[in-house]
Structure formats: C-alpha cells, structure tokens
Amino acid sequence: THMTSILKVDSIQNAAGTAAMTIDSGGVVAEPNKEYFQVELTTTMTGLADVSVHTVDFGVKGTVKYDTKSNFDSANDAYLLGSSDGVYLINFSIGIRSNDISAETIIDAIAAVFAAPDGTTFEAVNGAGFRGYDRNNDETGSVMLSGSFIYKSTTATTKIILKGFANTYSSDTYQISDDAQANQGSVSSADSFATARCTFLSVVRIA
C-alpha cells in the first residue's frame, strides 16, 4: 500500500517558541531570522597610494543596504558572520580606475575578500587579479574585479573585509569607484549607469 500525508501549518517554531519559518496563504515560505547582508560603496575612494593594499572604506564611504543581524562593524569596514558554523555565499565586486580616465595608468590590479576567524587577523580567502600591461607597454584606464564563493565559518568571531590593490605607471595614485559610470569615465551619455553600484560586498547564509 501507498500512503500520503499532508502537514498543514502556518508556522514552525523551536521548542522554546522561537519562530523559524512561516507559510502564507499563497504558499510563500518566509524565514524571519534569515541572515543576509550587503554594503555598497557610494562615494569614490580617491588618491589611493600606488602599489598599496587598501581596505574598501564601506564604513565612511559606503551604505549598508541589508543587514538582518546588525553585524556590520563600520569602524573596521568588516562584517561579522552570524554563526560559528554557518555556511555562507559571499559575493564581491570592486571597480579600480586611473585618477584621470583619459590618461590610463593601471598596469595590474588585485581584489580579494579577507577573513579573520579571530576577528582581527585577516588573511586573503578568494579574489581576482588583472594584468593589463600589454607588449606595447600600454596601460589600462579601469578594471572590474568580482567573484563568488562558499565559505564555512568556524568561530563566532569571524569577520570579513574587501581589499583592493593597483600598480600604476609612474607611481600615480588610483581610485576605487562607487558606480559603473565612474569606473567607465563619467561620460555624460552614460548618466543612466550612475546608480549602478560596482563596488560591494554581500553575504547570505545558506546552511
């Protein structure tokens, strides 16, 4: 014989009564305690020293779009993962450009997410690199670096940050762009892209 059963509930809670999941009349499942976070750079970082690593200044020059656990450490531009054993999907994007887009100076660039299980000692986890210096010794005006990866937390103190690096021609300074238009060169005909954030860090707990 074959038996089927249907469990009809509007919500699921733990033994102590903490709501974990609700189901509405349309069958949509909501998880009120779901952890997700996104911060976006909203002011371009200018005058960055050549051949130097710079943490993206989300605390001062950024805007937090989502932070369901209120775990953003603005003083250190870092996000504290909300679980000591959670599994997370982490996404990052960073736009790096020459100060004067008409005078290309970017030779190479790097971006990476750094993690600190102890909350203070950061090491690179995953990232991207770029080499634009061609055989004619030509430099690049700007570059976009991005990535997505799964990360498992092992401590309750794990924080992550986003860092960028550029090597420029003649030790010129460089910028980390806040929007797609700024990274392209601020041409007026591309004004519609000025609201598209190109430097950001996002985190979603998936398990």
Side-chain angles (χ1 to χ4, degrees):
T1 62
H2 178 68
M3 297 180 63
T4 61
S5 60
I6 299 175
L7 179 64
K8 295 184 177 181
V9 296
D10 292 324
S11 66
I12 298 176
Q13 303 177 356
N14 74 348
T18 301
M21 184 181 298
T22 61
I23 306 171
D24 69 13
S25 59
V28 177
V29 177
E31 298 175 74
N33 295 314
K34 186 74 173 181
E35 180 184 0
Y36 55 92
F37 165 80
Q38 182 160 310
V39 63
E40 302 170 343
L41 195 67
T42 48
T43 301
T44 291
M45 295 172 59
T46 61
L48 303 178
D50 180 44
V51 197
S52 297
V53 177
H54 297 276
T55 298
V56 178
D57 188 6
F58 288 122
V60 174
K61 297 182 179 295
T63 298
V64 174
K65 192 169 185 179
Y66 309 108
D67 189 0
T68 60
K69 294 296 184 179
S70 299
N71 280 350
F72 181 53
D73 176 6
S74 60
N76 294 295
D77 308 304
Y79 179 71
L80 171 67
L81 300 182
S83 169
S84 62
D85 60 357
V87 179
Y88 293 87
L89 176 63
I90 298 175
N91 299 279
F92 71 91
S93 177
I94 187 169
I96 295 176
R97 58 159 282 185
S98 305
N99 280 321
D100 182 355
I101 206 73
S102 64
E104 290 82 358
T105 62
I106 302 296
I107 295 174
D108 49 59
I110 308 172
V113 172
F114 284 63
D118 64 357
T120 57
T121 309
F122 289 92
E123 293 186 357
V125 180
N126 291 91
F130 167 83
R131 176 72 175 178
Y133 204 53
D134 67 19
R135 64 182 182 181
N136 295 318
N137 297 330
D138 296 322
E139 295 82 40
T140 299
S142 66
V143 62
M144 284 296 311
L145 299 170
S146 61
S148 178
F149 61 95
I150 293 173
Y151 180 85
K152 190 177 189 308
S153 179
T154 56
T155 69
T157 55
T158 300
K159 291 184 177 182
I160 61 170
I161 58 176
L162 178 61
K163 294 187 177 186
F165 166 96
N167 173 29
T168 68
Y169 181 75
S170 297
S171 299
D172 192 15
T173 58
Y174 65 95
Q175 302 181 6
I176 294 180
S177 305
D178 64 317
D179 65 69
Q181 183 196 33
N183 210 57
Q184 173 263 353
S186 298
V187 175
S188 59
S189 59
D191 286 348
S192 60
F193 293 90
T195 57
R197 300 300 169 194
C198 67
T199 299
F200 60 83
L201 176 66
S202 67
V203 179
V204 178
R205 184 176 176 184
I206 57 177

